[in-house]
Amino acid sequence: MKIIRTKNSDEMSRKAANIFFSKLISKPSAVLGLATGGTVVGLYKNLIESCKNGDLDFSEVKTVNLDEYVGIGSENGQSYRYYMDNNLFNQVNIKRENTYLPNGLAGDISAECARYNELIESLGGIDIQLLGLGLNGHIGFNEPADAFASVVHAVDLDESTIEANARFFADKNDVPKKAITMGIQNIMRAKKIVLCVSGKQKSKILNEVLFGDITPRVPGSVLQLHRNVIVVADEDALEG
Ligand code: GLP
């Protein structure tokens, strides 16, 4: 793992955006694995700015997101589709049909998981997978468990995840209890992984992810086994 230490979250966002920038320059048709959450909003702002300046072109880019809540759709301001449209897709020249997320409103959730898994395969590999880190060590919505879940699957969200994500909802009871997420194998197959972490509240779990035992109880710890991971983290997250 390569660790890039930054002074603050702004610098984390710029440095992480630069990794995507250089990939898109060398491969304009790259497949990007994308993430949601507060941590990566600044990175997307940097990409938008570069696109508006004419330095980045998304016309051939394809994106595949890590996860989506079950039970809410693109019109709902808390869905990850809405987040992606708002924080990136509507502000760059990407083709909407090249942006993929699981459908949280699918009638048959296990069929939707299988469909999304096949879709990821059909894209021929993710060039860069962006990740944030949950307070409990989750990546995507791979929650602490007894075993690593390999492919796309539906998951019951941890009480701690519901608590952590309640800040985005009017009421904690509005937070969906289930989600569809890429599995660990989908994530680990990406050619490169960029993990962004910011803030003192993540320092304990980041330390476990980077230096602790590799265990499904700390899902992010599996990243120690990937040969091309760049962790971009600010001082607060690295030192607490
Ligand atoms: C959600 C997402 C994760 C993300 C995490 C961290 O639970 N499913 O993919 O990494 O939040 O979010 P934040 O960056 O807001 O701390």
Side-chain angles (χ1 to χ4, degrees), residues 49 62-63 65 86 102 116 131 145 147 153 160 164 173 194 228 234:
E49 204 179 305
K62 292 194 171 114
T63 65
N65 262 77
N86 240 3
Y116 200 65
L131 295 177
H153 59 287
S160 66
N173 292 322
V194 176
N228 195 359
D234 63 17

Side-chain angles (χ1 to χ4, degrees), residues 219-235:
S221 64
V222 76
L223 298 174
Q224 293 177 36
L225 300 173
H226 192 284
R227 66 180 113 87
N228 195 359
V229 177
I230 305 182
V231 180
V232 191
D234 63 17
E235 281 175 3

Side-chain angles (χ1 to χ4, degrees), residues 11-12 16-17 21 30 40 75 101 115 135 139 142 148 156 160 179 191 202-203 217 221:
E11 191 188 345
M12 175 201 71
F21 191 100
V40 292
E75 313 292 285
L101 284 95
R115 182 198 70 84
L135 278 172
I139 49 177
N142 288 275
F148 289 114
D156 292 323
S160 66
K191 291 170 197 151
K202 299 268 176 81
S203 66
R217 291 270 136 222
S221 64

Side-chain angles (χ1 to χ4, degrees), residues 166-209:
R167 69 193 194 276
F168 298 115
F169 291 78
D171 189 294
K172 191 185 146 193
N173 292 322
D174 296 341
V175 184
K177 308 283 182 286
K178 276 184 187 291
I180 296 173
T181 182
M182 278 191 204
I184 295 295
Q185 190 187 88
N186 303 110
I187 295 171
M188 292 295 278
R189 278 201 181 150
K191 291 170 197 151
K192 185 193 277 281
I193 295 177
V194 176
L195 173 68
C196 289
V197 193
S198 163
K200 283 189 200 309
Q201 75 283 9
K202 299 268 176 81
S203 66
K204 184 171 170 289
I205 194 68
L206 179 60
N207 191 61
E208 287 180 42
V209 164

Side-chain angles (χ1 to χ4, degrees), residues 135 157-168 172 175:
L135 278 172
L157 297 180
D158 252 28
E159 194 49 38
S160 66
T161 297
I162 292 171
E163 292 270 326
N165 290 359
R167 69 193 194 276
F168 298 115
K172 191 185 146 193
V175 184

Side-chain angles (χ1 to χ4, degrees), residues 64-78:
V64 62
N65 262 77
L66 282 167
D67 46 18
E68 178 60 282
Y69 289 118
V70 168
I72 59 177
S74 57
E75 313 292 285
N76 186 308
Q78 306 308 333

Side-chain angles (χ1 to χ4, degrees), residues 67-94:
D67 46 18
E68 178 60 282
Y69 289 118
V70 168
I72 59 177
S74 57
E75 313 292 285
N76 186 308
Q78 306 308 333
S79 72
Y80 286 167
R81 164 52 82 179
Y82 189 96
Y83 170 106
M84 290 309 303
D85 286 346
N86 240 3
N87 287 301
L88 185 66
F89 301 152
N90 289 347
Q91 301 186 65
V92 296
N93 66 328
I94 196 162

